[in-house]
Amino acid sequence: MPPPFYTANYYPHLNGQIEAVDNGAVESVWNAEQLGRPVVKAWNAALAETQRTRGVLAGTPGRLAIPVAGDSEEARRVAMQLVDDTGFDPYDAGTLADSWRQQPNSPAYCTELTLDELPTALAAADRAKDAAIRDSLPERLATLPATATLEDVVEMNRAAHR
């Protein structure tokens, strides 16, 4: 039986395992191969509540940034414009091969960073460490109160990299 197809972030403990990704394939590259068409990765590194409540006008101090990765410069440009239109500073994160730097629980993932902070977080990504942090998510979530806020979740994600 073929593995299930995922359109969002890969969490093996939630979705089942994809052998190719577990063996080092970048999840976005794997998705593009399964689809047989180009993929641009954007918005994956922001929580739904962040997307819903934290978008602001361009030029607003402290505006949050969203990494955008894709192999087509034109498609990346379109996605970056859409990110800007939704109230976030777009950051060109390079090709899909580099998009592992914004995968679940990397330093840039769901940590609400500004355009000045995001490049450092992307550069600090470590595939093995970030996968271990991703896989510890159930235990880390269990430490949050039942009434956890967006700020609590963001802080949990930031703390995982200190």
Side-chain angles (χ1 to χ4, degrees):
M1 178 175 188
F5 176 72
Y6 303 101
T7 58
N9 295 306
Y10 176 56
Y11 286 96
H13 63 279
L14 296 175
N15 311 116
Q17 294 188 281
I18 300 171
E19 184 176 350
V21 175
D22 290 340
N23 290 332
V26 176
E27 66 183 62
S28 302
V29 172
W30 183 87
N31 277 326
E33 290 169 353
Q34 301 309 302
L35 288 170
R37 59 188 320 118
V39 167
V40 176
K41 187 171 194 157
W43 292 283
N44 81 296
L47 294 161
E49 186 67 5
T50 298
Q51 294 175 42
R52 191 178 76 73
T53 63
R54 301 282 168 99
V56 296
L57 294 174
T60 301
R63 190 179 197 213
L64 300 179
I66 300 226
V68 179
D71 293 338
S72 162
E73 286 185 36
E74 175 63 16
R76 227 173 29 245
R77 184 192 63 73
V78 169
M80 289 176 69
Q81 182 60 57
L82 292 170
V83 166
D84 185 51
D85 291 347
T86 61
F88 299 91
D89 282 332
Y91 179 79
D92 188 336
T95 66
L96 277 187
D98 295 325
S99 70
W100 65 269
R101 294 181 176 282
Q102 68 196 68
Q103 287 181 179
N105 286 165
S106 69
Y109 182 79
C110 300
T111 52
E112 294 194 348
L113 303 173
T114 66
L115 199 53
D116 289 337
E117 298 166 319
L118 186 56
T120 302
L122 290 167
D126 176 303
R127 290 180 88 166
K129 178 182 174 188
D130 298 343
I133 292 169
R134 175 202 66 204
D135 294 345
S136 73
L137 184 63
E139 293 83 17
R140 290 185 301 114
L141 285 173
T143 67
L144 292 176
T147 58
T149 64
L150 173 61
E151 290 77 16
D152 293 333
V153 175
V154 169
E155 177 53 32
M156 176 193 71
N157 289 334
R158 288 180 177 184
H161 295 282
R162 290 191 194 117

CSV table of all heavy atoms in Angstrom, one decimal, residues 18-66:
chain,number,residue,atom,x,y,z
A,18,ILE,N,6.6,8.1,6.3
A,18,ILE,CA,6.9,8.1,4.9
A,18,ILE,C,8.4,7.8,4.9
A,18,ILE,O,9.3,8.6,5.3
A,18,ILE,CB,6.7,9.5,4.3
A,18,ILE,CG1,5.2,9.9,4.3
A,18,ILE,CG2,7.2,9.5,2.8
A,18,ILE,CD1,4.9,11.3,3.9
A,19,GLU,N,8.7,6.6,4.4
A,19,GLU,CA,10.1,6.1,4.5
A,19,GLU,C,11.1,7.0,3.8
A,19,GLU,O,12.2,7.3,4.4
A,19,GLU,CB,10.1,4.7,3.8
A,19,GLU,CG,11.5,4.0,3.9
A,19,GLU,CD,11.5,2.6,3.4
A,19,GLU,OE1,10.4,2.1,3.0
A,19,GLU,OE2,12.6,2.1,3.2
A,20,ALA,N,10.8,7.5,2.7
A,20,ALA,CA,11.7,8.4,1.9
A,20,ALA,C,12.0,9.7,2.8
A,20,ALA,O,13.2,10.1,2.8
A,20,ALA,CB,11.1,8.8,0.6
A,21,VAL,N,11.0,10.2,3.4
A,21,VAL,CA,11.3,11.4,4.2
A,21,VAL,C,12.0,11.0,5.5
A,21,VAL,O,13.0,11.7,5.9
A,21,VAL,CB,9.9,12.1,4.6
A,21,VAL,CG1,10.1,13.3,5.5
A,21,VAL,CG2,9.2,12.6,3.3
A,22,ASP,N,11.7,9.9,6.1
A,22,ASP,CA,12.4,9.5,7.3
A,22,ASP,C,13.9,9.2,6.9
A,22,ASP,O,14.7,9.3,7.8
A,22,ASP,CB,11.8,8.2,7.9
A,22,ASP,CG,10.4,8.5,8.5
A,22,ASP,OD1,10.2,9.7,8.8
A,22,ASP,OD2,9.6,7.6,8.7
A,23,ASN,N,14.2,8.8,5.7
A,23,ASN,CA,15.5,8.6,5.3
A,23,ASN,C,16.2,9.8,4.7
A,23,ASN,O,17.3,9.6,4.1
A,23,ASN,CB,15.5,7.4,4.2
A,23,ASN,CG,15.2,6.1,4.9
A,23,ASN,OD1,15.4,5.9,6.1
A,23,ASN,ND2,14.6,5.2,4.2
A,24,GLY,N,15.7,11.0,4.9
A,24,GLY,CA,16.4,12.2,4.5
A,24,GLY,C,15.8,13.0,3.4
A,24,GLY,O,16.3,14.1,3.1
A,25,ALA,N,14.8,12.5,2.7
A,25,ALA,CA,14.2,13.3,1.6
A,25,ALA,C,13.5,14.5,2.3
A,25,ALA,O,12.9,14.4,3.3
A,25,ALA,CB,13.2,12.5,0.8
A,26,VAL,N,13.5,15.7,1.6
A,26,VAL,CA,12.9,16.8,2.1
A,26,VAL,C,11.4,16.7,1.8
A,26,VAL,O,11.0,16.4,0.7
A,26,VAL,CB,13.4,18.1,1.4
A,26,VAL,CG1,12.6,19.3,1.8
A,26,VAL,CG2,14.9,18.3,1.7
A,27,GLU,N,10.5,16.9,2.8
A,27,GLU,CA,9.1,16.6,2.7
A,27,GLU,C,8.5,17.3,1.5
A,27,GLU,O,7.6,16.8,0.8
A,27,GLU,CB,8.3,16.8,4.0
A,27,GLU,CG,8.3,18.3,4.4
A,27,GLU,CD,7.6,18.5,5.7
A,27,GLU,OE1,8.1,18.0,6.7
A,27,GLU,OE2,6.6,19.2,5.7
A,28,SER,N,8.9,18.6,1.3
A,28,SER,CA,8.3,19.3,0.2
A,28,SER,C,8.7,18.8,-1.2
A,28,SER,O,7.9,18.8,-2.1
A,28,SER,CB,8.7,20.8,0.3
A,28,SER,OG,8.3,21.3,1.5
A,29,VAL,N,10.0,18.4,-1.3
A,29,VAL,CA,10.4,17.8,-2.5
A,29,VAL,C,9.7,16.5,-2.8
A,29,VAL,O,9.2,16.2,-3.9
A,29,VAL,CB,12.0,17.5,-2.5
A,29,VAL,CG1,12.4,16.7,-3.7
A,29,VAL,CG2,12.7,18.8,-2.3
A,30,TRP,N,9.5,15.7,-1.7
A,30,TRP,CA,8.7,14.4,-1.8
A,30,TRP,C,7.3,14.7,-2.3
A,30,TRP,O,6.8,14.0,-3.2
A,30,TRP,CB,8.7,13.7,-0.5
A,30,TRP,CG,8.0,12.4,-0.5
A,30,TRP,CD1,8.6,11.2,-0.9
A,30,TRP,CD2,6.7,12.1,-0.2
A,30,TRP,NE1,7.7,10.2,-0.8
A,30,TRP,CE2,6.4,10.7,-0.4
A,30,TRP,CE3,5.6,12.9,0.2
A,30,TRP,CZ2,5.2,10.1,-0.2
A,30,TRP,CZ3,4.4,12.3,0.4
A,30,TRP,CH2,4.2,10.9,0.2
A,31,ASN,N,6.7,15.7,-1.7
A,31,ASN,CA,5.3,16.1,-2.1
A,31,ASN,C,5.3,16.5,-3.6
A,31,ASN,O,4.4,16.1,-4.3
A,31,ASN,CB,4.8,17.3,-1.2
A,31,ASN,CG,4.2,16.8,0.1
A,31,ASN,OD1,3.6,15.7,0.2
A,31,ASN,ND2,4.3,17.6,1.1
A,32,ALA,N,6.2,17.3,-4.0
A,32,ALA,CA,6.3,17.7,-5.4
A,32,ALA,C,6.4,16.5,-6.4
A,32,ALA,O,5.8,16.4,-7.4
A,32,ALA,CB,7.4,18.7,-5.7
A,33,GLU,N,7.2,15.6,-5.9
A,33,GLU,CA,7.4,14.3,-6.7
A,33,GLU,C,6.1,13.5,-6.8
A,33,GLU,O,5.7,13.0,-7.9
A,33,GLU,CB,8.5,13.5,-6.1
A,33,GLU,CG,9.9,14.1,-6.3
A,33,GLU,CD,11.0,13.4,-5.5
A,33,GLU,OE1,10.7,12.5,-4.7
A,33,GLU,OE2,12.2,13.8,-5.7
A,34,GLN,N,5.4,13.4,-5.7
A,34,GLN,CA,4.1,12.7,-5.7
A,34,GLN,C,3.1,13.4,-6.6
A,34,GLN,O,2.3,12.7,-7.2
A,34,GLN,CB,3.6,12.6,-4.2
A,34,GLN,CG,4.5,11.9,-3.3
A,34,GLN,CD,5.0,10.5,-3.8
A,34,GLN,OE1,4.3,9.6,-4.1
A,34,GLN,NE2,6.3,10.4,-3.9
A,35,LEU,N,3.1,14.7,-6.5
A,35,LEU,CA,2.1,15.5,-7.3
A,35,LEU,C,2.5,15.5,-8.8
A,35,LEU,O,1.7,15.7,-9.7
A,35,LEU,CB,2.0,16.9,-6.8
A,35,LEU,CG,1.3,17.1,-5.5
A,35,LEU,CD1,1.5,18.5,-5.0
A,35,LEU,CD2,-0.2,16.8,-5.7
A,36,GLY,N,3.8,15.4,-9.1
A,36,GLY,CA,4.3,15.6,-10.4
A,36,GLY,C,4.2,17.0,-10.9
A,36,GLY,O,4.0,17.3,-12.1
A,37,ARG,N,4.3,17.9,-10.0
A,37,ARG,CA,4.2,19.4,-10.4
A,37,ARG,C,4.9,20.2,-9.3
A,37,ARG,O,5.2,19.7,-8.2
A,37,ARG,CB,2.7,19.8,-10.5
A,37,ARG,CG,1.9,19.6,-9.3
A,37,ARG,CD,0.4,19.9,-9.5
A,37,ARG,NE,0.1,21.0,-10.4
A,37,ARG,CZ,-0.5,20.9,-11.6
A,37,ARG,NH1,-0.9,19.7,-12.0
A,37,ARG,NH2,-0.7,22.0,-12.3
A,38,PRO,N,5.2,21.4,-9.6
A,38,PRO,CA,5.9,22.3,-8.7
A,38,PRO,C,5.1,22.6,-7.4
A,38,PRO,O,3.9,22.6,-7.5
A,38,PRO,CB,6.2,23.6,-9.5
A,38,PRO,CG,6.0,23.2,-10.9
A,38,PRO,CD,5.0,22.1,-10.9
A,39,VAL,N,5.9,22.8,-6.4
A,39,VAL,CA,5.3,23.2,-5.1
A,39,VAL,C,6.0,24.4,-4.5
A,39,VAL,O,7.3,24.5,-4.7
A,39,VAL,CB,5.5,22.0,-4.1
A,39,VAL,CG1,5.2,22.4,-2.7
A,39,VAL,CG2,4.6,20.8,-4.5
A,40,VAL,N,5.3,25.3,-3.9
A,40,VAL,CA,5.9,26.4,-3.2
A,40,VAL,C,5.5,26.2,-1.7
A,40,VAL,O,4.3,26.0,-1.5
A,40,VAL,CB,5.5,27.8,-3.7
A,40,VAL,CG1,6.1,28.9,-2.9
A,40,VAL,CG2,5.9,27.9,-5.2
A,41,LYS,N,6.5,26.2,-0.8
A,41,LYS,CA,6.2,26.0,0.6
A,41,LYS,C,6.1,27.4,1.3
A,41,LYS,O,7.1,28.1,1.3
A,41,LYS,CB,7.2,25.2,1.2
A,41,LYS,CG,6.9,24.8,2.7
A,41,LYS,CD,7.9,23.8,3.1
A,41,LYS,CE,7.5,23.1,4.4
A,41,LYS,NZ,8.1,21.8,4.6
A,42,ALA,N,4.9,27.8,1.8
A,42,ALA,CA,4.7,29.0,2.5
A,42,ALA,C,3.6,28.8,3.5
A,42,ALA,O,2.8,27.9,3.4
A,42,ALA,CB,4.3,30.1,1.5
A,43,TRP,N,3.6,29.6,4.5
A,43,TRP,CA,2.7,29.6,5.6
A,43,TRP,C,2.8,28.4,6.5
A,43,TRP,O,2.2,28.4,7.6
A,43,TRP,CB,1.2,29.7,5.2
A,43,TRP,CG,0.9,31.1,4.6
A,43,TRP,CD1,0.6,32.2,5.3
A,43,TRP,CD2,0.7,31.4,3.2
A,43,TRP,NE1,0.4,33.2,4.4
A,43,TRP,CE2,0.4,32.7,3.1
A,43,TRP,CE3,0.8,30.6,2.1
A,43,TRP,CZ2,0.2,33.3,1.9
A,43,TRP,CZ3,0.6,31.2,0.8
A,43,TRP,CH2,0.3,32.6,0.8
A,44,ASN,N,3.6,27.4,6.2
A,44,ASN,CA,3.7,26.2,7.0
A,44,ASN,C,4.3,26.5,8.4
A,44,ASN,O,4.1,25.8,9.3
A,44,ASN,CB,4.4,25.1,6.3
A,44,ASN,CG,5.9,25.3,6.5
A,44,ASN,OD1,6.5,26.3,5.9
A,44,ASN,ND2,6.6,24.4,7.1
A,45,ALA,N,5.1,27.5,8.4
A,45,ALA,CA,5.9,27.8,9.6
A,45,ALA,C,5.2,28.8,10.5
A,45,ALA,O,5.8,29.4,11.4
A,45,ALA,CB,7.3,28.3,9.2
A,46,ALA,N,3.9,29.0,10.3
A,46,ALA,CA,3.1,29.9,11.2
A,46,ALA,C,1.9,29.1,11.7
A,46,ALA,O,1.2,28.5,10.9
A,46,ALA,CB,2.7,31.1,10.5
A,47,LEU,N,1.6,29.2,12.9
A,47,LEU,CA,0.4,28.6,13.5
A,47,LEU,C,-0.9,29.2,12.9
A,47,LEU,O,-0.9,30.3,12.5
A,47,LEU,CB,0.4,28.7,15.0
A,47,LEU,CG,1.5,28.0,15.8
A,47,LEU,CD1,1.7,28.6,17.1
A,47,LEU,CD2,1.2,26.5,15.8
A,48,ALA,N,-1.9,28.4,12.8
A,48,ALA,CA,-3.2,28.9,12.3
A,48,ALA,C,-3.6,30.2,13.0
A,48,ALA,O,-4.1,31.1,12.4
A,48,ALA,CB,-4.2,27.8,12.3
A,49,GLU,N,-3.5,30.2,14.3
A,49,GLU,CA,-3.9,31.3,15.1
A,49,GLU,C,-3.1,32.5,14.8
A,49,GLU,O,-3.5,33.7,14.8
A,49,GLU,CB,-3.9,31.0,16.6
A,49,GLU,CG,-4.5,32.1,17.5
A,49,GLU,CD,-6.0,32.4,17.3
A,49,GLU,OE1,-6.7,31.6,16.5
A,49,GLU,OE2,-6.5,33.3,17.9
A,50,THR,N,-1.8,32.3,14.6
A,50,THR,CA,-0.9,33.4,14.2
A,50,THR,C,-1.4,34.0,12.8
A,50,THR,O,-1.5,35.2,12.7
A,50,THR,CB,0.6,32.9,14.0
A,50,THR,OG1,1.0,32.4,15.3
A,50,THR,CG2,1.5,33.9,13.5
A,51,GLN,N,-1.7,33.1,11.9
A,51,GLN,CA,-2.1,33.5,10.6
A,51,GLN,C,-3.5,34.3,10.7
A,51,GLN,O,-3.7,35.3,10.0
A,51,GLN,CB,-2.3,32.4,9.6
A,51,GLN,CG,-1.0,31.7,9.3
A,51,GLN,CD,-1.1,30.5,8.5
A,51,GLN,OE1,-1.9,30.4,7.5
A,51,GLN,NE2,-0.4,29.4,8.8
A,52,ARG,N,-4.3,33.8,11.6
A,52,ARG,CA,-5.6,34.5,11.8
A,52,ARG,C,-5.6,35.8,12.4
A,52,ARG,O,-6.3,36.7,12.1
A,52,ARG,CB,-6.5,33.5,12.5
A,52,ARG,CG,-8.0,33.9,12.6
A,52,ARG,CD,-8.9,32.9,13.3
A,52,ARG,NE,-8.7,33.0,14.8
A,52,ARG,CZ,-9.2,34.0,15.5
A,52,ARG,NH1,-9.9,35.0,14.9
A,52,ARG,NH2,-9.1,34.0,16.8
A,53,THR,N,-4.6,36.0,13.4
A,53,THR,CA,-4.7,37.2,14.2
A,53,THR,C,-3.5,38.1,14.2
A,53,THR,O,-3.6,39.2,14.7
A,53,THR,CB,-4.9,36.8,15.7
A,53,THR,OG1,-3.7,36.0,16.1
A,53,THR,CG2,-6.1,35.9,15.9
A,54,ARG,N,-2.4,37.7,13.6
A,54,ARG,CA,-1.2,38.5,13.7
A,54,ARG,C,-0.8,39.2,12.4
A,54,ARG,O,0.3,39.9,12.3
A,54,ARG,CB,0.0,37.6,14.2
A,54,ARG,CG,-0.3,37.0,15.5
A,54,ARG,CD,-0.1,37.9,16.7
A,54,ARG,NE,-0.5,37.5,17.9
A,54,ARG,CZ,0.2,37.0,18.9
A,54,ARG,NH1,1.5,36.8,18.7
A,54,ARG,NH2,-0.3,36.6,20.0
A,55,GLY,N,-1.6,39.1,11.3
A,55,GLY,CA,-1.2,39.8,10.1
A,55,GLY,C,-1.5,41.3,10.3
A,55,GLY,O,-2.5,41.7,10.9
A,56,VAL,N,-0.6,42.1,9.8
A,56,VAL,CA,-0.7,43.6,9.9
A,56,VAL,C,-0.2,44.2,8.6
A,56,VAL,O,0.4,43.6,7.8
A,56,VAL,CB,0.1,44.1,11.1
A,56,VAL,CG1,-0.4,43.6,12.4
A,56,VAL,CG2,1.6,43.8,11.0
A,57,LEU,N,-0.4,45.5,8.5
A,57,LEU,CA,0.0,46.2,7.3
A,57,LEU,C,1.5,46.2,7.1
A,57,LEU,O,2.2,46.3,8.1
A,57,LEU,CB,-0.6,47.6,7.3
A,57,LEU,CG,-2.1,47.8,7.3
A,57,LEU,CD1,-2.5,49.3,7.5
A,57,LEU,CD2,-2.6,47.3,6.0
A,58,ALA,N,1.9,46.2,5.9
A,58,ALA,CA,3.4,46.4,5.6
A,58,ALA,C,3.9,47.6,6.3
A,58,ALA,O,3.2,48.6,6.3
A,58,ALA,CB,3.6,46.4,4.1
A,59,GLY,N,5.1,47.5,6.8
A,59,GLY,CA,5.7,48.6,7.5
A,59,GLY,C,5.4,48.8,8.9
A,59,GLY,O,6.0,49.6,9.6
A,60,THR,N,4.5,47.9,9.4
A,60,THR,CA,4.2,48.0,10.9
A,60,THR,C,5.4,47.4,11.6
A,60,THR,O,5.8,46.3,11.3
A,60,THR,CB,2.9,47.1,11.2
A,60,THR,OG1,1.8,47.6,10.4
A,60,THR,CG2,2.6,47.1,12.6
A,61,PRO,N,5.9,48.1,12.6
A,61,PRO,CA,7.0,47.6,13.4
A,61,PRO,C,6.6,46.3,14.1
A,61,PRO,O,5.5,46.1,14.5
A,61,PRO,CB,7.2,48.7,14.5
A,61,PRO,CG,6.6,49.9,13.9
A,61,PRO,CD,5.5,49.5,13.1
A,62,GLY,N,7.6,45.3,14.0
A,62,GLY,CA,7.4,44.0,14.6
A,62,GLY,C,6.6,43.1,13.8
A,62,GLY,O,6.3,42.0,14.2
A,63,ARG,N,6.3,43.4,12.5
A,63,ARG,CA,5.6,42.5,11.6
A,63,ARG,C,6.3,41.2,11.5
A,63,ARG,O,7.5,41.1,11.4
A,63,ARG,CB,5.5,43.2,10.2
A,63,ARG,CG,4.5,42.5,9.3
A,63,ARG,CD,4.4,43.2,8.0
A,63,ARG,NE,3.3,42.9,7.2
A,63,ARG,CZ,3.3,42.8,5.9
A,63,ARG,NH1,4.4,43.1,5.2
A,63,ARG,NH2,2.2,42.5,5.2
A,64,LEU,N,5.5,40.1,11.6
A,64,LEU,CA,6.1,38.8,11.6
A,64,LEU,C,6.4,38.4,10.1
A,64,LEU,O,5.8,38.9,9.2
A,64,LEU,CB,5.1,37.8,12.2
A,64,LEU,CG,4.7,38.0,13.6
A,64,LEU,CD1,3.7,37.0,14.1
A,64,LEU,CD2,6.0,38.0,14.5
A,65,ALA,N,7.4,37.5,10.0
A,65,ALA,CA,7.8,37.1,8.7
A,65,ALA,C,7.5,35.6,8.4
A,65,ALA,O,7.4,34.8,9.4
A,65,ALA,CB,9.3,37.3,8.5
A,66,ILE,N,7.3,35.3,7.2
A,66,ILE,CA,7.0,33.9,6.8
A,66,ILE,C,8.0,33.5,5.7
A,66,ILE,O,8.1,34.2,4.7
A,66,ILE,CB,5.6,33.8,6.2
A,66,ILE,CG1,4.6,34.2,7.3
A,66,ILE,CG2,5.3,32.5,5.6
A,66,ILE,CD1,3.4,33.4,7.6
